[in-house]
Amino acid sequence: MKLRSTSYYWVILIIFGCSSLLFSSCKKDKINQSGNVKLNFLTDTLTFDTLFVSLGSTTKSFTVRNNEKSPVEISKIYLKGDAGNSFRLTIDGDAGNQAEKVLIPAEDSIYIFVEVTVDPNDESLPFVIQDEVVFEINGNRQQVVLQAYGQNARFFNGEVIQSQTWTNELPYVILNSIEIEKGHTLTIREGTTVYFGGGSGMFVNGSLKIEGGQDTSQWVTFRGYRLDRQVTGVPYDQLPGQWMGLFLMRDSRNNEINHFRMRGSQYGLNIGNTTLEELNKVSIDNAPDLRIQNSEIYNSSTFGLYGFLAKIHATNVLIHDVARNALHASLGGEYLIEHCTFYLRSSNFFDHKESGVYLSDYHVYNTSSPALRAGLKVNMVNTVADGTVSEELLLDISEGGTVQGAIENSAIKGKAELLTALNLSNNIYNTDNLFEDPAKADFRLKENSPLIDKGKDIMVPFDIQGKARSSTPDIGAFEF
């Protein structure tokens, strides 16, 4: 009997003890109602990079922290509304521009997510919109400023266009690609910037005339439309593969590009593409032609300049930091390359393994079918083919294939004996060309560069930057 009483006693104690713990854990900490409480913010101003009107932004966020040792209750969080409906909030996980009685535990935080869409207006230059997120707590107010820079633009969304001229009054934004109809010409004047959405490109069945200004600030620019940064802080504009590329299709004629820069595409500047169904109709007779001068192509995730049985005349062209080839000629064609600088290396985005310049007279589209072949004509003069692999210029000619032309007064990384199908004269092989800083895309020549005064006078009076050349010009796109 005594044993039973003792057991019963301990059961009561255990139950009482558990109840006490449960009761104490359920007690709420007292909310701090002091008028001296201040919230702590990750930032006092949340800034969005320039946005095109009517296109939604990426979402940004900031934290609201309670540094007190007791909970605080925010009476009201709301968007002041100075910018109309441009900004949208998600407060502590709930979408909406207003919330009440928001509790933050002691030494804890909540997140505020902000999204913005900029409405169009009549301004041509970037403009700023501002608003405030207001916090009311214990009779006091605090705020975080929101600001976004907007840019009006002309939008194209999957259109097929006829002859027209684009100027630099407003930028152009291409969504879902754009096509120039056969028999029509798109002219793009100096200082114009064209932004491409993901997976978008320009397809030219007619003609393209790009007429940039000589000053690099007035060049025509093709680039991706993301103006913001990754979470790592790196601008999207520095990433390759942001948009598809520029394509001059079969039978596209009289294309002229001058003072032009192109960056961040997948396929670069592609001349001669066709559909698989039309592949058997490809010939030199329907080869598209391009005259390109004083231009720069970089950050492409495959090619810089790609020719598929094409006719390309390139002068003062700089191509660097692309994944595969700076210049790729497939299935023959006609190529005149003058005063160009091609330089490839590995980077954070690319593992450079292929030759920077690849020239062939054939194309294999199906390993079970014979390769397509066509004659190749190449004349390369005063040009640099340099980089970090052993053979930066590869001549790949099929058995019994035909190749004509010459490489003259050029600086080649590679073996001369692999290029003897072409006439070779006055070339420099496997030297340090002493560029200023290839890692920073500065391919100007240092004062002791072996390229200085080693070129041939071919009546190209100015370099890529508009500097006058001497009668004994330097090799490459830059005159020292």
Side-chain angles (χ1 to χ4, degrees):
M1 185 72 177
K2 186 176 181 180
L3 180 60
R4 183 180 177 185
S5 299
T6 304
S7 300
Y8 181 69
Y9 173 76
W10 282 110
V11 168
I12 291 173
L13 283 179
I14 290 169
I15 293 173
F16 180 78
C18 289
S19 300
S20 299
L21 288 170
L22 189 63
F23 176 77
S24 64
S25 67
C26 291
K27 284 174 59 181
K28 291 184 178 180
D29 292 332
K30 187 175 180 181
I31 293 174
N32 191 331
Q33 296 181 339
S34 169
N36 295 322
V37 168
K38 294 289 184 182
L39 301 170
N40 184 265
F41 304 109
L42 177 66
T43 179
D44 60 1
T45 302
L46 190 67
T47 301
F48 290 79
D49 296 312
T50 304
L51 305 165
F52 291 115
V53 297
S54 303
L55 294 179
S57 76
T58 54
T59 300
K60 288 197 169 188
S61 66
F62 63 93
T63 58
V64 184
R65 182 164 180 82
N66 169 25
N67 287 332
E68 303 293 328
K69 296 188 180 299
S70 54
V72 298
E73 184 178 79
I74 306 172
S75 303
K76 191 175 183 181
I77 303 173
Y78 59 94
L79 188 65
K80 191 175 177 182
D82 292 339
N85 297 319
S86 295
F87 293 97
R88 297 174 297 282
L89 306 182
T90 298
I91 302 170
D92 197 24
D94 295 322
N97 289 348
Q98 181 174 311
E100 297 182 355
K101 296 183 178 180
V102 179
L103 184 71
I104 307 181
E107 299 181 318
D108 205 347
S109 304
I110 63 169
Y111 284 93
I112 309 288
F113 291 89
V114 186
E115 189 178 19
V116 61
T117 299
V118 183
D119 292 327
N121 60 23
D122 59 358
E123 297 186 41
S124 58
L125 297 175
F127 55 90
V128 64
I129 59 171
Q130 288 188 326
D131 215 324
E132 293 180 3
V133 183
V134 181
F135 300 82
E136 294 183 357
I137 179 170
N138 297 351
N140 296 315
R141 286 187 180 183
Q142 293 177 260
Q143 63 280 323
V144 170
V145 175
L146 308 177
Q147 64 181 18
Y149 294 90
Q151 173 70 71
N152 290 294
R154 293 187 172 94
F155 291 86
F156 290 85
N157 192 346
E159 281 99 334
V160 177
I161 65 171
Q162 297 184 340
S163 294
Q164 55 188 268
T165 298
W166 293 359
T167 65
N168 65 356
E169 293 178 7
L170 287 175
Y172 293 79
V173 177
I174 310 300
L175 306 173
N176 299 310
S177 297
I178 190 170
E179 183 178 337
I180 292 90
E181 189 175 317
K182 188 172 183 177
H184 291 267
T185 300
L186 173 63
T187 302
I188 305 178
R189 295 281 167 78
E190 65 179 45
T192 302
T193 301
V194 184
Y195 298 86
F196 291 83
S200 293
M202 178 177 286
F203 297 85
V204 182
N205 294 303
S207 299
L208 178 65
K209 309 283 188 184
I210 292 179
E211 303 170 350
Q214 181 172 303
D215 188 281
T216 54
S217 66
Q218 291 301 304
W219 283 20
V220 170
T221 300
F222 280 18
R223 51 158 292 178
Y225 83 145
R226 293 291 296 267
L227 302 174
D228 54 330
R229 296 171 180 266
Q230 302 180 90
V231 293
T232 58
V234 176
Y236 277 97
D237 188 38
Q238 293 183 8
L239 301 182
Q242 291 290 297
W243 56 289
M244 189 177 294
L246 171 57
F247 299 83
L248 308 182
M249 309 302 288
R250 304 308 301 180
D251 264 329
S252 173
R253 301 292 168 83
N254 302 314
N255 297 290
E256 298 176 3
I257 295 177
N258 198 358
H259 297 117
F260 169 71
R261 70 172 59 85
M262 176 179 176
R263 61 179 180 263
S265 72
Q266 291 175 274
Y267 300 106
L269 179 44
N270 190 300
I271 301 95
N273 230 309
T274 189
T275 63
L276 187 61
E277 293 75 18
E278 297 291 318
L279 193 57
N280 63 339
K281 299 179 183 178
V282 170
S283 71
I284 196 65
D285 294 328
N286 59 29
D289 61 71
L290 170 65
R291 178 72 171 107
I292 180 170
Q293 305 176 74
N294 309 306
S295 297
E296 180 183 13
I297 302 171
Y298 61 103
N299 267 15
S300 167
S301 56
T302 52
F303 308 108
L305 185 60
Y306 179 95
F308 188 77
L309 190 49
K311 298 178 180 180
I312 299 174
H313 183 182
T315 305
N316 286 339
V317 175
L318 168 64
I319 302 178
H320 61 94
D321 292 290
V322 302
R324 289 189 58 185
N325 314 113
L327 170 63
H328 183 114
S330 184
L331 191 59
E334 299 175 4
Y335 300 86
L336 176 55
I337 310 299
E338 306 169 316
H339 279 295
C340 292
T341 296
F342 305 130
Y343 184 95
L344 299 188
R345 64 185 181 89
S346 296
S347 69
N348 292 334
F349 306 117
F350 309 124
D351 187 8
H352 176 44
K353 294 180 178 180
E354 299 187 33
S355 299
V357 177
Y358 175 83
L359 307 170
S360 78
D361 69 331
Y362 70 96
H363 177 74
V364 177
Y365 70 93
N366 187 333
T367 55
S368 62
S369 302
L372 299 174
R373 290 179 172 82
L376 174 66
K377 295 181 180 179
V378 177
N379 284 284
M380 183 179 293
V381 60
N382 297 345
T383 289
V384 178
D386 197 2
T388 56
V389 301
S390 59
E391 301 294 330
E392 288 291 356
L393 196 158
L394 178 60
L395 190 61
D396 187 9
I397 306 302
S398 61
E399 185 176 352
T402 59
V403 58
Q404 303 174 42
I407 301 177
E408 305 175 84
N409 296 80
S410 293
I412 307 298
K413 178 82 173 288
K415 299 183 179 67
E417 55 267 29
L418 299 179
L419 306 173
T420 53
L422 295 170
N423 295 320
L424 306 176
S425 63
N426 300 316
N427 298 308
I428 300 171
Y429 296 93
N430 304 309
T431 62
D432 182 350
N433 293 314
L434 295 178
F435 299 119
E436 283 287 351
D437 194 344
K440 294 182 178 179
D442 187 350
F443 296 97
R444 294 173 300 161
L445 306 181
K446 293 181 178 180
E447 61 180 355
N448 53 343
S449 169
L451 307 185
I452 295 174
D453 294 340
K454 295 299 191 298
K456 177 180 180 181
D457 188 2
I458 55 172
M459 306 303 290
V460 179
F462 301 99
D463 78 351
I464 190 172
Q465 295 180 318
K467 181 182 293 186
R469 284 196 166 95
S470 68
S471 57
T472 52
D474 304 339
I475 297 174
F478 295 87
E479 183 79 3
F480 177 70

mmCIF file of all heavy atoms in Angstrom, residues 8 196 198 267 287 364 370 385 413 424 456:
data_model
loop_
_atom_site.group_PDB
_atom_site.id
_atom_site.type_symbol
_atom_site.label_atom_id
_atom_site.label_comp_id
_atom_site.label_asym_id
_atom_site.label_seq_id
_atom_site.Cartn_x
_atom_site.Cartn_y
_atom_site.Cartn_z
ATOM 1 N N TYR A 8 2.023 6.805 -6.888
ATOM 2 C CA TYR A 8 0.988 7.773 -7.246
ATOM 3 C C TYR A 8 1.506 9.188 -7.048
ATOM 4 O O TYR A 8 1.287 10.091 -7.865
ATOM 5 C CB TYR A 8 -0.251 7.513 -6.380
ATOM 6 C CG TYR A 8 -1.395 8.440 -6.665
ATOM 7 C CD1 TYR A 8 -2.092 8.360 -7.883
ATOM 8 C CD2 TYR A 8 -1.778 9.395 -5.724
ATOM 9 C CE1 TYR A 8 -3.146 9.212 -8.136
ATOM 10 C CE2 TYR A 8 -2.827 10.252 -5.987
ATOM 11 C CZ TYR A 8 -3.515 10.156 -7.188
ATOM 12 O OH TYR A 8 -4.561 11.005 -7.442
ATOM 13 N N PHE A 196 17.776 42.706 -77.381
ATOM 14 C CA PHE A 196 17.087 41.476 -77.757
ATOM 15 C C PHE A 196 16.703 40.680 -76.518
ATOM 16 O O PHE A 196 17.530 40.468 -75.619
ATOM 17 C CB PHE A 196 17.982 40.614 -78.653
ATOM 18 C CG PHE A 196 18.225 41.191 -80.015
ATOM 19 C CD1 PHE A 196 19.215 42.142 -80.221
ATOM 20 C CD2 PHE A 196 17.458 40.784 -81.099
ATOM 21 C CE1 PHE A 196 19.450 42.681 -81.475
ATOM 22 C CE2 PHE A 196 17.679 41.312 -82.365
ATOM 23 C CZ PHE A 196 18.672 42.263 -82.552
ATOM 24 N N GLY A 198 15.490 37.155 -74.523
ATOM 25 C CA GLY A 198 16.019 35.797 -74.560
ATOM 26 C C GLY A 198 15.420 34.985 -75.691
ATOM 27 O O GLY A 198 14.209 34.976 -75.894
ATOM 28 N N TYR A 267 24.854 32.812 -81.198
ATOM 29 C CA TYR A 267 25.446 32.380 -82.462
ATOM 30 C C TYR A 267 26.199 33.483 -83.201
ATOM 31 O O TYR A 267 26.670 33.257 -84.314
ATOM 32 C CB TYR A 267 24.354 31.806 -83.379
ATOM 33 C CG TYR A 267 23.665 30.621 -82.775
ATOM 34 C CD1 TYR A 267 22.370 30.725 -82.276
ATOM 35 C CD2 TYR A 267 24.314 29.395 -82.672
ATOM 36 C CE1 TYR A 267 21.731 29.632 -81.703
ATOM 37 C CE2 TYR A 267 23.685 28.299 -82.102
ATOM 38 C CZ TYR A 267 22.395 28.424 -81.618
ATOM 39 O OH TYR A 267 21.772 27.343 -81.048
ATOM 40 N N ALA A 287 24.514 32.719 -102.333
ATOM 41 C CA ALA A 287 25.276 33.082 -101.148
ATOM 42 C C ALA A 287 24.968 34.513 -100.723
ATOM 43 O O ALA A 287 25.001 35.436 -101.538
ATOM 44 C CB ALA A 287 26.773 32.943 -101.420
ATOM 45 N N VAL A 364 29.307 18.623 -92.838
ATOM 46 C CA VAL A 364 28.646 17.353 -92.550
ATOM 47 C C VAL A 364 27.418 17.645 -91.686
ATOM 48 O O VAL A 364 27.541 18.136 -90.566
ATOM 49 C CB VAL A 364 29.591 16.381 -91.815
ATOM 50 C CG1 VAL A 364 28.848 15.084 -91.469
ATOM 51 C CG2 VAL A 364 30.827 16.103 -92.660
ATOM 52 N N PRO A 370 26.802 11.709 -97.456
ATOM 53 C CA PRO A 370 28.074 12.318 -97.885
ATOM 54 C C PRO A 370 28.140 13.786 -97.469
ATOM 55 O O PRO A 370 27.121 14.487 -97.416
ATOM 56 C CB PRO A 370 28.033 12.177 -99.412
ATOM 57 C CG PRO A 370 27.028 11.118 -99.681
ATOM 58 C CD PRO A 370 26.008 11.210 -98.600
ATOM 59 N N ALA A 385 45.638 36.129 -85.947
ATOM 60 C CA ALA A 385 44.911 34.963 -85.450
ATOM 61 C C ALA A 385 45.692 34.435 -84.259
ATOM 62 O O ALA A 385 46.669 33.692 -84.412
ATOM 63 C CB ALA A 385 44.771 33.895 -86.534
ATOM 64 N N LYS A 413 49.205 32.255 -84.900
ATOM 65 C CA LYS A 413 49.591 31.258 -83.897
ATOM 66 C C LYS A 413 49.346 29.894 -84.522
ATOM 67 O O LYS A 413 48.204 29.488 -84.748
ATOM 68 C CB LYS A 413 48.723 31.450 -82.645
ATOM 69 C CG LYS A 413 48.988 30.444 -81.513
ATOM 70 C CD LYS A 413 50.184 30.866 -80.675
ATOM 71 C CE LYS A 413 50.336 29.962 -79.442
ATOM 72 N NZ LYS A 413 49.293 30.209 -78.427
ATOM 73 N N LEU A 424 51.585 31.677 -98.898
ATOM 74 C CA LEU A 424 52.001 32.323 -97.660
ATOM 75 C C LEU A 424 53.156 33.264 -97.928
ATOM 76 O O LEU A 424 54.136 32.884 -98.589
ATOM 77 C CB LEU A 424 52.430 31.269 -96.638
ATOM 78 C CG LEU A 424 51.416 30.153 -96.318
ATOM 79 C CD1 LEU A 424 52.031 29.129 -95.373
ATOM 80 C CD2 LEU A 424 50.146 30.725 -95.724
ATOM 81 N N LYS A 456 51.080 45.326 -94.842
ATOM 82 C CA LYS A 456 51.167 45.674 -96.257
ATOM 83 C C LYS A 456 50.181 46.800 -96.527
ATOM 84 O O LYS A 456 49.050 46.788 -96.039
ATOM 85 C CB LYS A 456 50.804 44.439 -97.088
ATOM 86 C CG LYS A 456 50.774 44.640 -98.584
ATOM 87 C CD LYS A 456 50.397 43.333 -99.273
ATOM 88 C CE LYS A 456 50.344 43.485 -100.782
ATOM 89 N NZ LYS A 456 49.940 42.209 -101.438
#
